[in-house]
Amino acid sequence: MNQRPPSCSLRPSACPGLLRIVPALDGGICRIKLAGGSISSAQAVAVAAAAEQFAGGVIEATNRANLQIRGIGSAHAALIDSLLATGLGPRTAAGDDVRNLMLSPGAGIDRHMLVDTRPLAQQILATLQSHEPFHDLSAKFAVQLDGGEALAMLEHPHDLWLSAFVQNGERRLAFGLAGCPTDRPAGSVALDDGHDLVVAVLELFLDLARPEQTRMRHLLVEYRVEDLLARLARRVAVQAVVDWQRVPHADVLHIGSHPQADPAFVYVGAAPPLGRLAPAMLRGAAQLAQEFGDASLRFTPWQSLLLPNVRLADAVEVIQRLQGLGLQCQASHPLTGLIACTGSHGCAKGLADTKGDALQLAALLQRQGAALSVHLSGCPRSCAAAHTAPVTLLAIAPGYYDLYFRDPAQPGFGTLHARNLTIEAAATLLDALSRSPLDA
């Protein structure tokens, strides 16, 4: 259906959406929020076509498992209508900003999942879009729903997170405010009360927050968690969580072939270089999903993509063809561990060409046989990484960076290790440290 959703007035915001294209140095940006990170092959082809026809042909996978098109020219309405026609838009215009619900990329297929979170996610997303008071939430206000999968990003902070666990033989949802699932939970609810909990938390936030308090962390400066829990307990049955805390899986599971809950199938993960896909790359991946999978792609918070439900016998061919498209399917390749923001070519705040410098760094690390998780940030805002990477190179001038190592005792990027490094000097230093526990 090629029509705009009802209630098309949009509030001012610097955050791009599908219906709000915001300007950047390299043109407009349109962000497409994907339900659970999933997109059909037909929708992916439509995104590729829109990027070619109305923009500069740059598609980015984001760290919230969404897609965005960069370099958009003046044909905003035509681009938006082409995407709406494929069903990628919100139910209402005002509901686009608040569709911020992140699932594990392995939802429903992960061998280790305790709960298939997709039905609950659909219920939550419907309420976020249809319940008008929730449209007053910030475009950055975000919820995470974790089903206990091994393939799960557990380091991104969210305003509300829910994580499946088992207590006394009962599957429940632990939850926390303004943090990550690896934090100690604030409490838990029965599995069937997950939707009611989300509604209660969001309504409570809107009841208590002043206009300038746009995120849960702002509210927690003024209210203790215990006070908020007492108020929540009047709306939903909350229990304490005893002797449980979420533990992340140690292996790299978003790259390469990995078994699903059904042993006849695998998912295949592939990383576009620095999260950027050319239209031909996205179109080719969509074709492979149609031919070998279930005609869908899943995007991940690692700025990569998955082809789910691939038969085990087809995995090798799928990997070969993905690599032929320019996607990387080997976790040991340096590019799969690098994150870089748009940098000075696309952002006025960027102090260096982070994308170009990251490609140079990857080539140097590959020559040296080193593979590390490194984040190149053009400014202190850290737009490309929602979590603190083990290693951060913060641009201070074109081609020059300060080097930080993650330190839980330090805020921001961590501990400053070296200043004013060229990419060559950074590669040499990181190579010397590549056998240290930095990348753990």
Side-chain angles (χ1 to χ4, degrees):
M1 182 174 59
N2 189 6
Q3 65 179 36
R4 295 179 182 271
S7 305
C8 276
S9 60
L10 296 176
R11 60 182 175 177
S13 175
C15 288
L18 189 147
L19 304 176
R20 182 194 297 108
I21 296 174
V22 301
L25 285 182
D26 56 348
I29 304 173
C30 174
R31 182 170 299 155
I32 306 158
K33 296 185 178 180
L34 305 179
S38 185
I39 186 171
S40 72
S41 293
Q43 289 172 332
V45 169
V47 172
E52 286 178 325
Q53 186 174 358
F54 305 112
V58 175
I59 304 161
E60 293 181 327
T62 77
N63 60 32
R64 297 288 181 183
N66 294 313
L67 287 176
Q68 59 188 29
I69 299 174
R70 297 192 68 94
I72 299 168
S74 59
H76 290 192
L79 180 143
I80 291 169
D81 287 342
S82 73
L83 298 176
L84 290 176
T86 69
L88 285 168
R91 294 187 178 186
T92 63
D96 192 28
D97 281 344
V98 296
R99 295 189 295 157
N100 301 321
L101 176 63
M102 192 170 84
L103 305 187
S104 161
I109 61 173
D110 194 288
R111 290 190 303 162
H112 299 272
M113 67 178 178
L114 297 173
V115 173
D116 182 350
T117 57
R118 292 173 297 177
L120 176 56
Q122 290 178 350
Q123 191 179 10
I124 293 171
L125 281 171
T127 299
L128 285 171
Q129 295 181 80
S130 62
H131 189 48
E132 190 171 340
F134 290 162
H135 300 167
D136 290 332
L137 291 167
S138 163
K140 294 183 180 297
F141 197 99
V143 180
Q144 180 174 7
L145 181 55
D146 161 40
E149 301 91 352
L151 177 62
M153 167 54 81
L154 302 178
E155 292 187 297
H156 285 189
H158 283 75
D159 296 278
L160 168 65
W161 59 262
L162 299 88
S163 186
F165 77 115
V166 177
Q167 180 174 285
N168 298 324
E170 177 192 7
R171 292 183 302 167
R172 297 180 62 82
L173 290 169
F175 69 90
L177 307 175
C180 308
T182 51
D183 296 340
R184 195 162 295 281
S188 74
V189 296
L191 195 57
D192 289 342
D193 289 337
H195 176 262
D196 290 345
L197 172 73
V198 173
V199 171
V201 169
L202 270 54
E203 288 182 342
L204 180 61
F205 175 84
L206 291 171
D207 287 345
L208 298 178
R210 298 190 302 275
E212 68 273 16
Q213 293 173 317
T214 58
R215 306 296 299 276
M216 186 64 73
R217 65 177 183 270
H218 303 150
L219 192 64
L220 292 178
V221 173
E222 189 168 331
Y223 292 89
R224 298 185 310 155
V225 172
E226 293 77 11
D227 297 334
L228 298 181
L229 288 176
R231 294 171 183 257
L232 284 174
R234 301 171 195 161
R235 309 185 186 205
V236 63
V238 176
Q239 293 184 10
V241 178
V242 180
D243 296 330
W244 179 86
Q245 196 164 356
R246 184 70 157 97
V247 177
H249 201 282
D251 294 336
V252 177
L253 297 174
H254 63 283
I255 301 294
S257 173
H258 298 276
Q260 296 185 178
D262 184 338
F265 293 92
V266 299
Y267 66 82
V268 178
L274 302 174
R276 284 199 164 176
L277 300 107
M281 193 180 292
L282 181 56
R283 189 179 291 111
Q287 180 180 341
L288 289 174
Q290 181 81 37
E291 186 176 348
F292 294 101
D294 62 2
S296 76
L297 298 170
R298 298 187 184 194
F299 284 86
T300 83
W302 296 274
Q303 297 175 280
S304 61
L305 61 87
L306 307 182
L307 273 69
N309 297 310
V310 173
R311 292 196 175 275
L312 180 60
D314 295 326
V316 171
E317 181 176 354
V318 169
I319 287 174
Q320 290 174 344
R321 289 174 61 174
L322 285 169
Q323 293 185 149
L325 292 168
L327 292 148
Q328 184 52 246
C329 298
Q330 294 181 338
S332 59
H333 193 284
L335 261 182
T336 64
L338 298 190
I339 306 168
C341 66
T342 299
S344 55
H345 281 308
C347 177
K349 296 183 182 296
L351 298 179
D353 176 14
T354 50
K355 293 288 190 187
D357 290 341
L359 291 174
Q360 182 184 358
L361 179 62
L364 291 168
L365 292 176
Q366 185 175 22
R367 191 180 310 158
Q368 296 161 348
L372 293 168
S373 294
V374 184
H375 168 211
L376 286 81
S377 187
C379 78
R381 295 187 304 162
S382 187
C383 295
H387 67 293
T388 302
V391 180
T392 297
L393 288 169
L394 176 62
I396 57 171
Y400 289 88
Y401 294 80
D402 288 345
L403 173 64
Y404 291 82
F405 292 153
R406 181 168 60 190
D407 183 349
Q410 298 291 331
F413 297 122
T415 300
L416 178 63
H417 184 79
R419 290 185 180 275
N420 204 31
L421 297 175
T422 63
I423 289 298
E424 294 86 348
T428 299
L429 180 56
L430 291 173
D431 177 55
L433 296 168
S434 62
R435 296 183 182 180
S436 74
L438 286 174
D439 203 37

